[in-house]
């Protein structure tokens, strides 16, 4: 039962990070269009700067992550550290997927 809940949380982290990056970049592109800036260039810039925030949003904020690391280190529960690392990796995968989709959309290299 616990493994199923953790897998669901991992999948949620992946898609939340993907959605934050895609949604934020595309809506930012609309805003750029409205103020007369080049929208595709701004989508790429926004995607680059929004990556870390998409990861933080996906894992539920930094305080939960720090609490889980503390519990893993000081309470002797290394499984909590491993689970938190997996959640961060899933969120990073979501941001990389979104960056690749955006680079396909705007025909630029956004990933690095």
């Amino acid at each position: 039962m616990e493994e199923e809940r953790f897998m669901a949380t991992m999948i949620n982290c992946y898609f939340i990070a993907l959605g934050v990056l895609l949604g934020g970049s595309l809506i930012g592109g609309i805003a750029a269009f409205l103020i007369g800036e080049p929208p595709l260039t701004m989508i790429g810039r926004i995607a680059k700067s929004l990556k870390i925030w998409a990861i933080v949003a996906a894992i539920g904020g930094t305080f939960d992550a720090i609490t889980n690391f503390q519990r893993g280190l000081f309470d002797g529960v290394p499984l909590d550290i491993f689970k938190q690392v997996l959640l961060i990796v899933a969120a990073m995968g979501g941001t990389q997927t979104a960056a690749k989709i955006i680079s396909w959309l705007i025909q630029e290299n956004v990933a690095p």
Side-chain angles (χ1 to χ4, degrees):
M1 184 70 158
E2 179 71 27
E3 296 85 23
E4 292 175 8
R5 224 176 8 201
F6 177 71
M7 285 302 292
T9 304
M10 245 176 79
I11 292 169
N12 279 338
C13 276
Y14 177 85
F15 283 103
I16 289 170
L18 184 126
V20 167
L21 195 61
L22 277 178
S25 298
L26 295 178
I27 296 297
I30 293 171
F33 174 75
L34 291 175
I35 63 171
E37 296 289 324
L40 296 180
T41 303
M42 287 303 293
I43 288 173
R45 287 183 192 158
I46 292 169
K48 286 179 185 177
S49 65
L50 200 58
K51 274 185 173 183
I52 189 69
W53 296 110
I55 294 169
V56 170
I59 63 172
T62 56
F63 294 115
D64 290 337
I66 291 171
T67 303
N68 286 336
F69 277 123
Q70 176 188 359
R71 189 176 352 156
L73 287 175
F74 298 126
D75 294 343
V77 186
L79 187 61
D80 285 343
I81 293 175
F82 183 68
K83 284 182 177 181
Q84 199 64 36
V85 168
L86 285 178
L87 290 178
I88 293 169
V89 168
M92 290 171 70
T95 59
Q96 284 300 108
T97 304
K100 183 57 78 175
I101 291 170
I102 289 170
S103 71
W104 287 341
L105 219 117
I106 65 173
Q107 298 295 310
E108 281 184 20
N109 188 9
V110 176

